[in-house]
Amino acid sequence: MSVDTRWLTREQLAAWVRLAAVLELLPTVLDSQLRRDAQLTHFDYYVLAMLSEAPEHTLRMTALAGRTAATLARLSHVVQRLERRGLLERFPCPEDRRATNARLTEAGWQKVRDSAPGHAAAVRDAVIDPLTPEQITQLTAISDAILHRLDPDGSQAAIYERYDDPVSRNADG
Amino acid sequence: MSVDTRWLTREQLAAWVRLAAVLELLPTVLDSQLRRDAQLTHFDYYVLAMLSEAPEHTLRMTALAGRTAATLARLSHVVQRLERRGLLERFPCPEDRRATNARLTEAGWQKVRDSAPGHAAAVRDAVIDPLTPEQITQLTAISDAILHRLDPDGSQAAIYERYDDPVSRNADG
């Protein structure tokens, strides 16, 4: 163990152990609700939701990987599973035959609409309702700072930057 | 879709999509560093680290599950794998023969000491260094509020309450 290791201070450790517990517990809670009520994992839901917001419910697989913060290998595996369930379909991209598109089926679109309210309620219950409006604003800035470090070249930025940030916009205007 | 669904406001959505991206990206980054440098997943590391801080490097499996926020089934699977690698060993609890203890081996203790500096550096780099001291304090309070909702009966509280919270203590004194 190197003698010049910079350990965390007590304040930093207090924040980190709590965030680590959130990282461990929160995905399980969100997964459980979606598995129970919609037979989807949280990641399945995210894939379907991203397609549901795209024009003609269609995205290139590479774009879908960016929006879901997933590797193409992980995404392919999940998309294959969702395709077997009839919730989406894959087809060659008309503009570039080497690329593959994923498109929500009618059943997939229905699945998103049916499961969105329950998922929104779970997010509100676990994350939004316990926080004050001020803490919501703080959480946006804190997550932005961490994401800037995790994803410095912005390759995953489509996930969050596509949502307007009303906080900074208000500050500007 | 029920008409009385309470959707998230724009401010709440801005915070949530960013936190969701952190939940997706951060574990992967921490896992990658530990896999590359120590051939451990983040969860493996956490199990070994919790044992390394216990008296005689030993904990009952049920206590270890509590401290790692894992189900006993998931923990058993991981502990079996770590035991095959010689990093810990299981034995019947002397005070209660129906219970099982897990104890770090000398090789496991060495593994924790060797891998702790690299893991601390990864946490600092991804989470601590991008935040101001004020944001560290905010993150502690925000995570506490979310954890209180995720874990209302405090069954997992051992993970984070065992660490002093210098922030609230200072506020009291």
Side-chain angles (χ1 to χ4, degrees), chain A residues 61-107:
Chain A
M61 287 290 285
T62 45
L64 189 53
R67 293 194 190 187
T68 54
T71 60
L72 209 51
R74 182 180 178 209
L75 179 67
S76 295
H77 177 77
V78 170
V79 159
Q80 222 165 46
R81 197 157 43 68
L82 294 171
E83 190 171 34
R84 277 199 299 269
R85 291 174 63 185
L87 299 175
L88 56 77
E89 54 200 354
R90 283 177 295 180
F91 59 98
C93 175
E95 291 90 39
D96 178 359
R97 297 289 303 273
R98 290 161 306 176
T100 300
N101 284 353
R103 178 171 53 204
L104 217 53
T105 61
E106 185 55 37

Side-chain angles (χ1 to χ4, degrees), chain B residues 40-86:
Chain B
L40 296 173
T41 67
H42 185 231
F43 187 75
D44 292 342
Y45 175 82
Y46 221 72
V47 167
L48 299 178
M50 289 301 110
L51 287 175
S52 78
E53 296 182 12
E56 301 181 43
H57 292 177
T58 304
L59 283 173
R60 283 199 198 188
M61 287 289 285
T62 46
L64 189 53
R67 292 194 190 187
T68 54
T71 61
L72 209 49
R74 180 178 179 213
L75 179 68
S76 294
H77 177 77
V78 170
V79 160
Q80 221 165 47
R81 197 158 41 70
L82 293 172
E83 189 171 34
R84 277 200 298 269
R85 292 174 62 185

